[in-house]
Amino acid sequence: MEIKAQQFVTSTRRRVLNDNGQQGMNGVPGIGSTTERHQGRVAQAIFANCTELDNAQLNEIIEWVRLYHR
């Protein structure tokens, strides 16, 4: 399955990455509030780095994110 930058959207269907996988709210590079830019950088890291990981490694990353979930 091919993951595309356009799939990284918020619950309100706003894109957090532009077409080349860089941070950008609504697909526009560099825009967004401070927290939206942080969210986009996390999405950017996932998009750029998770392709080669196996399910066990992805599960570890999910658990790391859960450390911050309140």
Side-chain angles (χ1 to χ4, degrees), residues 17-36:
L17 299 176
N18 64 20
D19 290 340
N20 68 0
Q22 301 299 307
Q23 182 277 325
M25 289 306 290
N26 297 323
V28 179
I31 70 163
S33 69
T34 301
T35 55
E36 288 170 338

Side-chain angles (χ1 to χ4, degrees), residues 55-66:
N55 284 339
Q57 292 166 319
L58 291 170
N59 285 335
E60 289 173 341
I61 292 167
I62 291 166
E63 288 305 316
W64 298 339
V65 171
R66 284 193 178 124

